[in-house]
Amino acid sequence: MKQNNQTTQVQTPDIKLSDISISPFNYRYGGKPVDEESLQELASSIKKHDVIQPVAVRTKPDGKYELVVGERRYRASLIAGKTTIPATIRELSDEQVKEIQVIENLQREDPHPMAEAMGIHQLLTMKEKKNSVADIAKRICKSESYVYQRLKLIELSDNFREMFYADKINITQALKLASLDTGSQEEFYTDHCEDWEKENFYLRNFNDLIEDFQLDLTRAPFDLKDAKLDRKAGACNRCPHNTAVITSLFPDESSDARCTNKPCYQNKCKLFAILNIGEVIKNNPSLPIAVPDDTVLTKYFGGNDTLIKGRTVLVEDVDFGYYEEMEDKPKREDYTDYEDDDENETEFQDALSEWETELQRMEDEASAGNYKKAILISDHDFGKIVYLEPVAEENGTETLTQSSSSISKTEFKAKDYQEAIKTKTLTLEMINGEKQRLNAREERSKELDEIKLQETFYNALKESEAAKSMDVAAGTNDRAVAIFLMYDSLGWYGKQELSKALLNKVKPEKGKGNEEDDDDDFGVSRMDDEELVQFFFNATENQISLLTRLALLNKSDAKSPNGLCGQMLRLMVECTPGLDAAEMISIQRTIMKGREVKLEEKIAVLDKQAEKLS
C-alpha cells in the first residue's frame, strides 16, 4: 500500500462487494456495538433507493480494495443482497486512514465518553500528522476544554474504564477518579468497587469517599505558589491535580483546594522538610525532636537521615495538643509607622524588650521542667522550636521542680504532692496546688468530652441512612441549618452588609457611646451567636432573599458568563427592583455593534489595499 502523504481520488460507478474487505484500523474504541435493527432499516432503504453516498476505499496490493469509510452502508448492502456499491477510490497512507476513521467514529451519534477519549488521544499521538488540541477541537466541532476533559479520562485505570462502560459510574465521577494518582485509584477500587459487577451495586456517598484520597492543600506546610520546591511538578496553584484549578476562577484564594496526586504531595512535603528543618536542626544540636507518631520521621527522612541520626525523639511523653511557640524576633525595618525615626526606634525597642522577656519566661519554664523545648515535626508544622507540656501521669512519676516556694497553678505536678506525703513535708500551699491541678485536669477533660460528643454527633449523622434519604420530612431545624449554611458562605463584606440590614445599628460617635463596644471598622455592630441563631430560625422571606443575593455575590464564579453561577446571577438581576437587565444588555449590544461597524470599515480598507497589490 502507498505510504505517501498525498491523497488522490477517482470516482467509479460501482465496485464488487466481494472485492472489498474491512479495514483493520476501523474499530469503535470500546463504544456501542452495531445496532442490528437500524442496520436492517438501512438495508431496506438500499433495496429501494440504492446507496446514495459512496463509500471510501483504497486499493490493496492484490488489486482489491480496503474499506476506509462507510462500514454500515457496506454491511447493509450485503444484507440487501447487492453485489456492488458506489465508491470513491483514494490513495491513502495507513496514518491517513487511521485519522479519517477516528474522526468518523468521533462524529457518530452519542459516542461513549471513553470512546471519545481514546479516539482523541490517538489523534493527538499520531506521528505522521502533528495534531494540537486546538486542531482536534476544530475537526470534531468541540471546544478545547471539551477535548482536554476527554483526554483526562485516558488516565482512568482499566478497572474504572470497565465500570464506566457499564454505566456504574458517571462522567463526573470518572473525571474525579481519573484525577487521582494510580496508587490512589487502585486503593479506591479495592476499598469500594471490587463488587461492582453485582446487580445491586451502587457507589454511595461518592463525594465523601473520594475526599479521603484528596489531600487538603490549605493545610500544606509549603507555599502552594512555590514552583522551585519541586521544579518538575511546578507550583500547586497552577497544577491540574489541584481541584481548585479546575473548579475556581481564583485558585490562589480558594478555600477548598485539594491535591489528587498523593505521591507528588508527599514528595513536596519531604523536600520542604529537608530544606526547612535542616538549618534549624543544625543550629540547635542539643534540642530533641518532637513528633506526634513514629511514622513522621520515616515519612520525611527515610528513618536514617544524617540530620536526625542520634537525636532524642519525643513521642508519647509530651502533649501535642498544648504547646507554645515564640513569635519571630522583631525586625527594625518593620517599624516605620511614624514620620519620626526616634518614635519608630522606641516602638522597636519596646517590642524587642517584650519579645526577650517572653523568651526568657519560656526558657525558665523549660529549665524548671514545666515545658519541654523541642523541634516540632508534624504533617503541618515543620522545624518550629516549641515548648510542649509534658504528659501528666496519674502515678506521679513526672520530674519537676522540688522547691515548694515556686509551686503555682501552672507548674504544680502530681509528683510534688506524692513526694511531699512520703517525706512528710506536705504544706497548705501544696494541697492547694494539688487541688488546682486536679481542677485544671477536670476542666481539660470536660473540653475533651465535648469534642468527643461532637464527633459522636457528626459520625452518627454521617452514617445515618435517614440523613441520606429524601423521605425524611423537613422541619424548622432543617430550614435553620440551610439558612446558616448560606450565611456561612458569606465573606467578611457580606456578613457586615447583612448585619447592617438586620440590626440597623450605627456606630456611636466618640464620646457619645461605649468606646469599648466590639464594633468593626465598617461602622456596624456585629450580631452575636445568640442573635444569629434567632435569625436562622425566624428569618423572613425578604431576609432570606437578601441573604441569597449576598451569598451569590460572594461566589467568585458569579462574574463568569459561563456556568450555572453566572446564569443565576443574571436571573437575580432580572428580579431585583431598580435594576433593568434588558437595558444593560441593550447597552452592551450597542457597544458590540459599534465595534462590528468599525471592524467592517477596517476590513474594507484592508480589502482595498489587497486589491491594489494584486
Side-chain angles (χ1 to χ4, degrees), residues 111-272:
H112 192 280
M114 196 69 234
E116 288 182 295
M118 296 176 69
I120 290 171
H121 183 259
Q122 184 169 345
L123 285 176
L124 197 64
T125 54
M126 284 182 174
K127 296 180 180 178
E128 186 174 292
K129 186 170 183 179
K130 302 294 184 182
N131 288 308
S132 66
V133 168
D135 295 332
I136 296 171
K138 290 179 182 178
R139 294 289 299 276
I140 66 175
C141 301
K142 300 289 185 181
S143 66
E144 290 185 31
S145 61
Y146 183 96
V147 174
Y148 277 117
Q149 188 183 67
R150 288 298 184 265
L151 285 171
K152 188 65 181 175
L153 291 173
I154 292 296
E155 298 177 34
L156 207 60
S157 70
D158 290 341
N159 287 326
F160 285 126
R161 288 188 186 189
E162 290 183 27
M163 290 181 65
F164 194 20
Y165 281 130
D167 292 329
K168 295 294 185 178
I169 54 175
N170 57 42
I171 188 168
T172 301
Q173 294 170 334
L175 285 168
K176 287 185 177 182
L177 288 166
S179 69
L180 299 179
D181 61 273
T182 303
S184 295
Q185 285 193 49
E186 292 175 357
E187 187 178 348
F188 188 102
Y189 179 87
T190 301
D191 290 348
H192 307 293
C193 301
E194 282 192 325
D195 58 345
W196 70 268
E197 294 182 70
K198 292 182 178 179
E199 186 176 348
N200 61 347
F201 174 84
Y202 178 68
L203 191 55
R204 193 182 299 275
N205 304 325
F206 175 82
N207 289 332
D208 290 338
L209 296 175
I210 202 166
E211 277 189 4
D212 294 336
F213 296 83
Q214 298 175 338
L215 300 161
D216 187 356
L217 284 174
T218 62
R219 300 185 66 192
F222 49 85
D223 184 359
L224 303 185
K225 300 178 184 179
D226 188 356
K228 297 180 180 179
L229 181 61
D230 184 346
R231 293 182 182 275
K232 184 177 180 181
C236 293
N237 68 329
R238 295 292 180 267
C239 177
H241 291 290
N242 177 356
T243 58
V245 172
I246 301 173
T247 60
S248 174
L249 292 175
F250 308 99
D252 291 350
E253 302 171 9
S254 176
S255 60
D256 190 28
R258 295 180 176 275
C259 176
T260 58
N261 191 340
K262 187 183 292 185
C264 180
Y265 178 89
Q266 291 176 337
N267 183 57
K268 282 194 172 185
C269 287
K270 184 173 182 178
L271 291 172
F272 183 86

Side-chain angles (χ1 to χ4, degrees), residues 482-491 495 498-499 527 532 535-536 547 551:
I483 294 172
F484 157 74
L485 292 173
M486 208 184 309
Y487 170 84
D488 196 51
S489 72
L490 297 179
K495 289 179 179 177
L498 183 67
S499 294
M527 291 187 291
L532 284 171
F535 166 67
F536 297 152
L547 180 58

Side-chain angles (χ1 to χ4, degrees), residues 2-70:
K2 296 185 179 181
Q3 298 293 319
N4 57 55
N5 289 326
Q6 303 297 320
T7 64
T8 60
Q9 60 183 49
V10 179
Q11 292 286 346
T12 61
D14 46 30
I15 291 176
K16 290 182 180 180
L17 288 169
S18 58
D19 287 343
I20 299 175
S21 59
I22 295 176
S23 170
F25 304 122
N26 194 20
Y27 56 96
R28 289 172 175 267
Y29 305 103
K32 297 178 180 178
V34 175
D35 186 345
E36 293 296 334
E37 183 177 348
S38 66
L39 204 59
Q40 289 291 342
E41 292 175 356
L42 181 59
S44 299
S45 175
I46 289 174
K47 278 184 179 181
K48 293 180 181 179
H49 309 293
D50 291 323
V51 175
I52 297 174
Q53 183 178 359
V55 297
V57 299
R58 69 170 176 170
T59 55
K60 296 169 61 177
D62 60 2
K64 294 187 178 182
Y65 305 96
E66 177 183 310
L67 186 66
V68 177
V69 175

